[in-house]
């Protein structure tokens, strides 16, 4: 089947003929550095494009808004927001008036711009030389005008790295600029995400290097054991010259060696006149490496490296000559002199090096570093650019790399390497709970196959390996990535269209929980869980193991923990618990806590013996309910970018407010998930992972403040034949809701009613009436979070709880076609099905809450819960609100039949 | 007139890691051309671009097959070139094609002994999954009656509503399964030609099958023969050959 047979993108989901695709993208770590290579980024503030080093011509820059390719929240949004203005931003660096190549690069990701333009330009003082890169975000085509060696790399999660090379023209230009135009034309507006802008010397794109206030070099020294190394980062250091001049470039971070007379020489380690500071054991270290770039001219190659020892100077015999390497202007090359066969070197302590690179003074060189090393590992022993295979972990530079998998037979366009290993996708999606406040965590299990084969995808150095890769894909993958747990996997479910369009996909985000296999049949199971799983693994507060050094009396206001233990409390402005007392700490100085305020949160001051444990607490004072939830999520390792902060804020405004202010203290390490569950219950809400929004969501299960038209799902046009079943949940029905709160002492047993000072209840007498359900079903919840001051919130809680569970909800399990997949967890829908009828036996239109939704590709599994939360609901109108229907946002009074003046249903009071 | 069916598995690019003139950033190594996987790609960084057989020897070839590409979409031309001196001074165009679409390509030519290269030209760099240059394995007989080159079995699901209305269908792909059935081939051909090919490649690695290279050269299917084969004797020096194969229908 060719791509051309596929439906157009506009009808991908709703077409009668669809080609579903499931793609899993594991975002694994890869080192950004190339093995044993160095690179210098000459631009400043490569990641923070909002810095003033970047001159803004109208572009609005918002830093730290999106996860960058290194997994940190450092991606910037560049926004062109004025029609008719060609907005841009740029940074210029100083360059010599030369003919050399330089390469610029930047990471870009689609936002709203149609076409983004990058300009790379030599200017100021001479004839401008410029080239452009254009990224068309509709077609994802990247083109250039001018320049050479356009590079486009699809990195991860939609980030592209684009690069281009441009030579200077020796017409007097003094500056080189990188210009970013988020939207390429003045007539349009739009934004683009951007990160890590770079300019490096030469025509070879260097590995990406982060910079801040200075140009920066980053080198992989994998497998290198060195006795002497100088990278001239800060200055010329101990280099000396004869018949030449020496300068240092703070942009290039190199030496510039310019011969000025015949027989020019370059010395290392102040060794020109006498033995220098270098002491290299020649028996162990006998290779001299230099990274060098010819800047100009045509000097006559000599290529001699002399050495001196404590006993001898630079004699003619103490040297090795390197054949002409054919240095090219502006291009870096690593030279290597091998002294392993030089008897004097091997028997000596080397105290100086002299380089006679050329014999005349017809040119100049840039020297990046000089290194004296042991015999290097042979080619073929490179790392695999993962941390666990890294040979230079001090310089490991984390970047993300997407390993992509799909189901066999998937119609993937040419050029996308997506391995068809997924045999099955199974699991349980997130589901709203009956009574809890934390949704059941989603689990997705990908059944994968294994295969032997080439290692081109995951070995950047496969071409130079001495032997082809052994083992199989997954055995190699697991050996190189033992730290896979917790890495993100994006599961993308969509439909093939022509041309290919990622906009047809709904993306779900999970973390890898575990991988088992491959088994004897080559099967691998990859278990994914939603990131709320992180809240099961952490502890709040963290356990602390400090112990009192001395006894503490009932009135002491200082205490000391045993030597070195204070560090775990310092900087955390919170309470501590010793025995059954909670103490507020003024400050920690080393191992001593001062300014103690005793007997906090209902506890009683008491004496404590030496050796008593000092446990750090986690407290909140007069905080919004949603702020506490967000804080717990953050503390558990869930960043704000993966939290629906807007939903929290909206819920705070609509449903909570001052009555729900939280003052509480957790005195023992507990699972964050348990705390979130309790808070969700109190808010009559559910905290859940929304895999499509890729955020921890927050849904208050309460009437919507503003009425809206709900979608109608019916047997005729929505539900798949034979898929609907209805299960009454009579066990979930309640007639009374109680809340016990006001814990007298935070260290008391939270399960004991006697330790709570307040109980509030709400009873539905009609439900308990003999003509109603005729029974009594109390629901009692204890809460350590509410104080007596939260009395109003407690009443609201009991009312909302009773509204939701007063009538036994029914669970409707059904399958729907992907064309109707436009709802998400916690949304309301109306349904009509013959499985739910009124007293006349006719299908009864019923409002339902979406409890679970699971995209199976061909069909969507849904679990719905009947609810009384539907209907037209709103807040009472404030004074001055126009009459209905001029205003239909706030509640208005209906007529005697419950209808509004236009015949629509009236508002419901709950 | 139909041509005798071809089995295509021989590949000069598998002799050693082939040498590309340029390779785009990312997972686009030229070695992917010879791994018989339709989901790994070579893509050049700079056009025009070449990929050269890099084992240093001179070997025979009489076809070039390409499976998985977007030459038609990007408007690129594919050239097959040979050289007698490793492309130092001798560089001869053997055949070329500028395909209108992205269907599989089969180019056949007279057997020649050389070092081999493909060259792609055009404004936009294409992506190629499998390129095989080598010697054809031509079956000695036409396929037996009943062979169906165009049948297909959809793999997917069709949804209907509770009231029987069509809601939409999902088609993941279409599978083509057939049996290469030859009657009265000689035992000597089976032993001298079929079995060596089976042992070296066909039993464990996908291969390309062209049922009619003369009239339907683009009906080229990447197949596997996981169920093995049978060679029932027909008496005397003759036997049958039956090889069940399957692949994704084009």
């Amino acid at each position: 089947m060719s791509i051309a047979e596929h439906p157009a993108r506009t009808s991908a989901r709703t077409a009668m003929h669809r080609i579903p695709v499931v793609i899993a993208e594991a975002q694994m770590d890869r080192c950004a550095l190339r093995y044993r290579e160095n690179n210098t980024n000459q631009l400043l503030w490569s990641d923070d494009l909002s810095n003033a080093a970047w001159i803004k011509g109208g572009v609005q820059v918002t830093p730290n808004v999106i996860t960058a390719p290194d997994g940190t929240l450092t991606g910037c949004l560049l926004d062109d927001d004025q029609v008719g203005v060609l907005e841009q931003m740029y940074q210029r660096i100083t360059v010599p008036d030369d003919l050399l190549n330089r390469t610029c690069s930047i990471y870009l990701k689609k936002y709203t711009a149609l076409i983004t333009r990058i300009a790379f330009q030599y200017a100021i003082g001479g004839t401008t030389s410029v080239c452009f890169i254009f990224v068309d975000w509709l077609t994802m085509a990247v083109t250039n005008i001018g320049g050479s060696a356009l590079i486009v790399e699809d990195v991860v999660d939609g980030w592209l790295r684009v690069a281009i090379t441009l030579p200077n023209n020796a017409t007097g230009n003094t500056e080189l600029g990188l210009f970013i135009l988020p939207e390429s034309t003045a007539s349009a507006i739009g934004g683009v995400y951007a990160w890590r802008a770079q300019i490096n010397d030469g025509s070879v794109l260097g590995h990406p290097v982060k910079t801040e206030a200075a140009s920066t070099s980053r080198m992989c020294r994998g497998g290198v054991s060195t006795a002497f190394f100088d990278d001239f980062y800060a200055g010329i250091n101990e280099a000396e010259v004869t018949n030449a001049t020496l300068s240092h470039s703070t942009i290039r971070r190199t030496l510039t060696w310019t011969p000025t007379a015949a027989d020019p020489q370059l010395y290392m380690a102040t060794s020109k006149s006498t033995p220098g500071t270098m002491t290299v054991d020649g028996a162990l270290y006998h290779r001299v490496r230099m990274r060098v770039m010819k800047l100009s001219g045509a000097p006559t190659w000599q290529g001699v490296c002399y050495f001196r020892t404590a006993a001898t100077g630079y004699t003619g015999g103490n040297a090795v000559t390197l054949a002409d390497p054919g240095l090219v202007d502006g291009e870096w090359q690593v030279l290597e002199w091998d002294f392993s066969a030089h008897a004097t070197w091997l028997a000596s302590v080397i105290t100086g090096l002299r380089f006679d690179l050329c014999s005349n003074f017809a040119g100049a060189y840039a020297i990046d570093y000089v290194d004296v090393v042991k015999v290097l590992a042979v080619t073929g022993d490179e790392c695999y650019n993962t941390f666990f295979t890294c040979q230079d972990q001090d310089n490991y530079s984390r970047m993300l790399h997407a390993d992509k998998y799909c189901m066999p037979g998937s119609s993937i366009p040419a050029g996308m390497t997506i391995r068809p290993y997924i045999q099955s996708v199974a699991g349980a999606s997130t589901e709203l709970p009956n009574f809890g406040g934390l949704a059941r965590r989603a689990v997705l299990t990908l059944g994968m196959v294994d295969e032997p084969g080439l290692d081109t995808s995951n070995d950047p150095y496969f071409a130079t390996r001495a032997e082809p890769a052994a083992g199989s894909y997954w055995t190699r993958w697991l050996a190189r990535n033992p730290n896979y747990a917790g890495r993100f996997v994006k599961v993308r479910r969509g439909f093939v269209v022509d041309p290919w369009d990622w906009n047809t996909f709904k993306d779900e985000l999970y973390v890898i929980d575990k991988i088992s296999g491959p088994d004897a049949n080559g099967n691998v199971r990859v278990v994914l869980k939603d990131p709320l799983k992180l809240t099961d693994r952490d502890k709040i507060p963290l356990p602390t193991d400090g112990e009192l050094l001395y006894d503490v009396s009932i009135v002491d206001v200082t205490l000391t923990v045993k030597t070195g233990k204070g560090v775990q409390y310092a900087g955390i402005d919170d309470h501590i618990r010793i025995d059954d007392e909670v103490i507020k700490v003024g400050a920690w100085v080393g191992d001593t806590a001062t300014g103690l305020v005793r007997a906090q949160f209902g506890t009683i001051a008491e004496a404590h013996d030496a050796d008593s444990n000092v446990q750090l607490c986690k407290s909140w004072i007069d905080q919004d309910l949603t702020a506490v939830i967000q804080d717990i999520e953050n503390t558990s390792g869930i960043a704000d970018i993966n939290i629906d902060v807007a939903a929290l804020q909206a819920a705070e405004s609509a449903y909570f407010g001052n009555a729900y202010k939280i003052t509480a203290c957790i005195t023992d390490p507990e699972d964050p998930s348990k705390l979130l569950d309790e808070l969700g219950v109190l808010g009559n809400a559910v905290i859940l992972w929304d895999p499509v929004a890729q955020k921890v969501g927050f849904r208050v299960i309460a009437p919507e403040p503003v009425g809206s038209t709900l979608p109608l799902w019916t047997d005729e046009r929505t539900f798949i034949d034979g898929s609907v079943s209805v299960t009454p949940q009579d066990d979930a029905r309640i007639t009374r809701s109680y809340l016990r709160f006001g814990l007298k002492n935070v260290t008391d047993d939270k399960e004991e009613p006697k330790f709570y000072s307040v109980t509030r209840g709400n009873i539905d007498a009609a439900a308990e009436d003999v003509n109603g359900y005729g029974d009594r079903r109390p629901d009692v919840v204890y809460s350590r979070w509410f104080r007596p001051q939260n009395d109003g919130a407690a009443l609201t809680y009991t009312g909302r709880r009773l509204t939701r569970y007063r009538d036994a909800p029914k669970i409707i399990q059904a399958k729907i076609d992907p064309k109707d997949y436009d709802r998400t967890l916690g949304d309301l829908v109306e349904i009509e099905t013959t499985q739910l009828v009124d007293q006349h036996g006719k299908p009864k239109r019923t409002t339902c809450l979406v409890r679970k939704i699971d995209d199976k590709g061909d069909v969507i599994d849904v679990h719905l819960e009947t609810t009384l939360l539907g209907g037209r609901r709103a807040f009472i109108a404030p004074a001055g609100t126009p009459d209905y229907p001029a205003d239909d946002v706030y509640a208005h009074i209906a007529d005697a039949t419950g209808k509004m003046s236009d015949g629509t249903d009236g508002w419901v009071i709950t | 007139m139909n041509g005798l069916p071809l089995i295509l598995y021989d590949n000069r690019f598998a002799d050693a890691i082939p040498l590309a003139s340029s390779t785009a950033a990312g997972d686009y190594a030229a070695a992917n051309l010879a791994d018989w996987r339709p989901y790994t790609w070579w893509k050049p960084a700079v056009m025009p671009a070449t990929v050269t057989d890099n084992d240093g020897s001179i070997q025979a070839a009489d076809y070039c097959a390409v499976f998985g590409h977007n030459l038609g979409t990007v408007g690129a031309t594919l050239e097959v070139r040979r050289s007698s001196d490793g492309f130092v001074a001798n560089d001869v165009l053997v055949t070329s094609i500028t395909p209108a679409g992205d269907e599989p390509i089969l180019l056949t030519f007279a057997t020649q002994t050389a070092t081999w290269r493909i060259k792609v030209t055009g404004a936009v760099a294409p992506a190629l999954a499998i390129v095989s240059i080598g010697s054809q394995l031509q079956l000695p007989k036409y396929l037996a009656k009943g062979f169906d080159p165009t049948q297909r079995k959809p793999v997917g699901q069709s949804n209907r509503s509770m009231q029987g209305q069509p809601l939409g269908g999902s088609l993941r792909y279409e599978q083509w399964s057939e049996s290469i059935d030859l009657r009265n081939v000689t035992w000597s051909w089976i032993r001298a030609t079929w079995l060596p090919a089976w042992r070296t490649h066909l039993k464990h690695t996908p291969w390309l099958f062209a049922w009619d290279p003369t009239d339907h050269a683009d009906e080229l299917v990447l197949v596997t023969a996981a169920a093995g084969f049978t060679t029932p004797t027909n008496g005397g020096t003759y036997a049958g050959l039956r090889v069940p194969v399957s692949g994704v229908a084009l």
Side-chain angles (χ1 to χ4, degrees), chain A residues 215-234:
Chain A
S215 65
T216 303
S217 301
R218 198 76 187 265
M219 182 176 181
C220 166
R221 309 194 69 225
V224 174
S225 175
T226 187
F228 173 86
F229 178 70
D230 196 340
D231 64 357
F232 314 112
Y233 181 80

Side-chain angles (χ1 to χ4, degrees), chain A residues 1 16 18-19 408-409 414-418 420 451-454 456-457 715-717 719-722 817 858-859, chain B residues 25 27-29 31-32 35 37 39 41 70 127 157 159-163 165-173 249-250:
Chain A
M1 182 166 25
M16 292 300 287
R18 295 180 298 261
I19 303 167
M416 283 190 196
T417 302
I418 304 178
E451 65 166 354
L454 290 178
T456 54
S457 295
D715 283 348
E716 181 182 7
R717 58 191 180 198
F719 296 122
I720 290 175
D721 193 18
D817 189 77
D858 302 322
V859 298
Chain B
D27 186 11
Y28 294 112
N32 291 333
D35 70 357
R37 289 172 171 81
Y39 51 86
W41 307 85
N70 61 352
Q157 179 171 324
N159 295 330
R160 288 189 177 279
S161 77
M162 295 277 281
Q163 295 185 359
Q165 302 293 347
L167 293 173
S170 301
L171 178 65
R172 294 184 184 278
Y173 63 95
L250 300 174

Side-chain angles (χ1 to χ4, degrees), chain A residues 27 29 96 142 219 230 289 358 563 585 687 690 692 853 889 904:
Chain A
Q27 297 179 1
D29 296 357
V142 182
M219 182 176 181
D230 196 340
R289 307 178 85 226
C358 59
T563 304
V585 177
I687 297 162
D690 185 335
V692 176
I853 195 153
V889 172
T904 58

Side-chain angles (χ1 to χ4, degrees), chain A residues 663-712:
Chain A
T663 294
C665 184
I666 307 300
T667 64
D668 286 314
E670 295 189 39
D671 292 348
S673 56
K674 182 172 186 292
L675 305 180
L676 290 173
D677 185 52
E678 292 175 5
L679 289 166
V681 168
L682 268 195
N684 302 98
V686 176
I687 297 162
L688 64 139
W689 175 249
D690 185 335
V692 176
Q694 299 172 29
K695 292 177 186 293
V696 177
F698 186 78
R699 303 269 194 281
V700 178
I701 311 299
E704 294 286 338
V706 178
S708 60
T709 304
L710 301 179
L712 176 63

Side-chain angles (χ1 to χ4, degrees), chain A residues 160-360:
Chain A
L160 301 179
R161 189 184 192 200
V162 296
I164 199 161
T165 298
L166 184 70
N168 200 352
N169 54 13
T171 59
N173 290 321
T174 58
E175 294 191 349
L176 171 61
L178 176 65
F179 293 70
I180 309 168
L181 291 77
E183 178 56 62
S184 181
T185 58
S187 59
I189 60 172
V192 67
Y193 295 113
W195 185 74
R196 188 138 314 170
Q198 177 168 295
I199 293 177
N200 64 261
D201 280 325
S203 61
V204 177
L205 174 62
H207 52 231
V209 177
K210 177 183 179 179
T211 65
E212 292 185 335
S215 65
T216 303
S217 301
R218 198 76 187 265
M219 182 176 181
C220 166
R221 309 194 69 225
V224 174
S225 175
T226 187
F228 173 86
F229 178 70
D230 196 340
D231 64 357
F232 314 112
Y233 181 80
I236 61 174
N237 298 343
E238 297 176 319
E240 298 172 313
V241 291
T242 294
N243 297 332
T245 60
L246 202 55
S247 61
H248 179 261
S249 168
T250 55
I251 296 175
R252 190 179 277 143
R253 298 288 172 189
T254 62
L255 294 180
T256 302
W257 181 64
T258 309
T260 55
D263 192 21
Q265 298 157 9
L266 170 66
Y267 298 85
M268 290 292 110
T270 61
S271 61
K272 179 177 174 182
S273 305
T274 58
T277 58
M278 179 188 297
T279 53
V280 172
D281 183 346
L284 296 176
Y285 301 89
H286 34 65
R287 293 200 185 225
V288 177
R289 307 178 85 226
M290 171 189 281
R291 187 170 188 246
V292 62
M293 175 170 69
K294 187 159 75 69
L295 297 172
S296 61
T300 302
W301 179 254
Q302 198 166 6
V304 185
C305 175
Y306 294 92
F307 66 90
R308 72 180 303 158
T309 70
T312 65
Y314 293 108
T315 65
N318 285 357
V320 164
T321 300
L322 201 64
D324 187 350
L327 296 175
V328 175
D329 283 1
E331 304 296 337
W332 289 106
Q333 194 164 335
V334 177
L335 310 180
E336 187 169 307
W337 288 266
D338 182 0
F339 288 90
S340 60
H342 196 292
T344 306
W345 175 288
L346 295 174
S348 304
V349 172
I350 312 303
T351 57
L353 295 173
R354 183 183 114 193
F355 298 93
D356 292 9
L357 296 182
C358 59
S359 60
N360 55 359

